[in-house]
Amino acid sequence: MSSKATLSAEKQGAKPLVLTTIEAVRDYRAALTAQGKTLAFVPTMGALHEGHLSLMQLGAAKADAVICSIFVNPTQFGPNEDYSRYPRTWDSDLQKLADGHVHAVFAPDETVMYPEKNATTIQVSGLTSGLCGPIRPGHFDGVALVVTKLLNIVQPEIAIFGEKDFQQLQVIRQFVRDLNMNIEIVGAPTMRDAHGLAMSSRNAYLTADEYEIATSLNRILYKVADNFRKGVNASQLIDAAKAELIGIGFNAIDYVAICNADTLQPMEQYTGDKARVLAAVHLGKTRLIDNIAVL
Ligand code: AMP
């Protein structure tokens, strides 16, 4: 698609342009640059919800144009994870994007993103040593690879990621800094539903009974944060939270942790430094993650 075609399509109305090739995205970016416009980028795996849309809205407030991507990235899923059943809802995603905030959607096939097996790995140490790192081996390598590729393709001034995936956000900040990528990484607050459950594409897996149970996760994390700030030891709070989660009906707990928000290293006592309570739990066939700040 030529730059001219891209721009005239962009002007046509609220419906976003759908770009499926790297060349089309490069043309789109070049056309914006030629107009002196800045671009914000929101990578997603689709099955869009209000959490995703809040990121796009933030992008619209920070840049002249917003592009999102919809790509279920195979390299960040483990062999026994939910890649094949991950919700793919292209038609309703496009409808949700027709609210005017998003000008273009990059929706590549797997063959566009991975035309051959990549020989390059981007591995971030330190931040990935705990939490989801050991439980999902290779996950953050897959995230780092796909986000690097997407950032190189889109070349935005700003890229926006949710605090919902807090460890992912910190990993992305780290490799963007380490690799001198000239992109501002913006973290956006977690959008929750009326019951406080963090919105997630994976919430679609929950049965009605499981949903009831799931809503207690955020309540328990807020309680942990509150008591930690009041001086209770982390280990005591974590043990109590795990027992409560299991008592309520969660099947298994990958972790409940209290960490320094920057280093993601465990904290035992509140020191006034930025702290974060993070958890990953299993409910039926669904794995849920959530985290909140200790304020
Ligand atoms: P995903 O499609 O799950 O890969 O998410 C795409 C982006 O949306 C990531 O940066 C997520 O952190 C972010 N995101 C997911 N859920 C939420 C939420 N409830 N609130 C804010 N951002 C979110």
Side-chain angles (χ1 to χ4, degrees):
M1 192 185 297
S2 75
S3 307
K4 219 170 155 187
T6 308
L7 276 182
S8 57
E10 189 202 344
K11 279 183 191 152
Q12 275 164 15
K15 259 205 165 165
L17 275 173
V18 177
L19 311 174
T20 56
T21 66
I22 293 170
E23 195 189 22
V25 178
R26 293 210 190 285
D27 283 352
Y28 173 75
R29 170 70 262 197
L32 288 173
T33 305
Q35 290 185 336
K37 287 185 174 175
T38 56
L39 180 60
F41 176 41
V42 180
T44 84
M45 296 204 298
L48 299 179
H49 51 67
E50 282 174 47
H52 295 118
L53 299 181
S54 72
L55 270 47
M56 312 211 187
Q57 206 168 340
L58 188 58
K62 287 185 170 286
D64 299 319
V66 180
I67 184 169
C68 76
S69 60
I70 295 182
F71 178 63
V72 184
N73 173 41
T75 66
Q76 70 188 72
F77 288 80
N80 299 317
E81 295 184 353
D82 57 346
Y83 173 69
S84 55
R85 74 180 182 119
Y86 195 85
R88 289 160 171 89
T89 57
W90 173 250
D91 290 337
S92 77
D93 285 356
L94 257 197
Q95 265 170 20
K96 287 177 188 162
L97 291 177
D99 66 356
H101 291 308
V102 175
H103 309 100
V105 188
F106 179 39
D109 278 346
E110 202 176 317
T111 52
V112 169
M113 290 303 289
Y114 299 108
E116 53 194 294
K117 192 167 165 26
N118 52 287
T120 302
T121 307
I122 299 169
Q123 201 163 54
V124 176
S125 60
L127 288 169
T128 60
S129 65
L131 305 172
C132 291
I135 293 159
R136 303 187 69 189
H139 168 68
F140 289 114
D141 295 356
V143 169
L145 180 66
V146 79
V147 172
T148 300
K149 285 163 75 74
L150 288 168
L151 293 177
N152 283 334
I153 293 165
V154 175
Q155 299 186 22
E157 277 79 11
I158 297 167
I160 303 175
F161 298 87
E163 289 180 349
K164 160 74 168 49
D165 300 278
F166 196 76
Q167 189 174 17
Q168 167 177 285
L169 170 63
Q170 300 302 50
V171 165
I172 291 167
R173 286 191 199 284
Q174 181 78 52
F175 73 71
V176 164
R177 258 198 325 272
D178 286 349
L179 300 177
N180 304 100
M181 295 168 132
N182 192 17
I183 297 168
E184 182 191 349
I185 302 300
V186 173
T190 301
M191 293 291 284
R192 300 179 180 279
D193 71 12
H195 298 99
L197 179 64
M199 290 176 183
S200 165
S201 306
R202 290 188 169 97
N203 292 351
Y205 300 151
L206 298 171
T207 64
D209 288 347
E210 287 170 350
Y211 175 82
E212 285 297 314
I213 296 169
T215 58
S216 60
L217 177 60
N218 75 93
R219 182 177 53 75
I220 291 170
L221 297 188
Y222 278 112
K223 192 164 70 178
V224 169
D226 197 35
N227 286 326
F228 187 62
R229 195 179 37 77
K230 287 177 180 156
V232 185
N233 284 351
S235 39
Q236 196 180 329
L237 290 169
I238 290 166
D239 287 349
K242 285 180 176 174
E244 193 175 351
L245 288 163
I246 294 294
I248 286 171
F250 289 93
N251 303 103
I253 296 168
D254 283 346
Y255 58 82
V256 175
I258 304 176
C259 295
N260 175 288
D262 294 327
T263 63
L264 299 185
Q265 290 305 303
M267 294 172 75
E268 183 55 19
Q269 278 289 327
Y270 183 61
T271 55
D273 282 346
K274 278 192 290 178
R276 203 95 192 170
V277 182
L278 307 102
V281 296
H282 293 262
L283 184 53
K285 289 183 178 159
T286 311
R287 182 176 186 271
L288 298 174
I289 58 170
D290 198 357
N291 69 88
I292 58 163
V294 178
L295 293 172

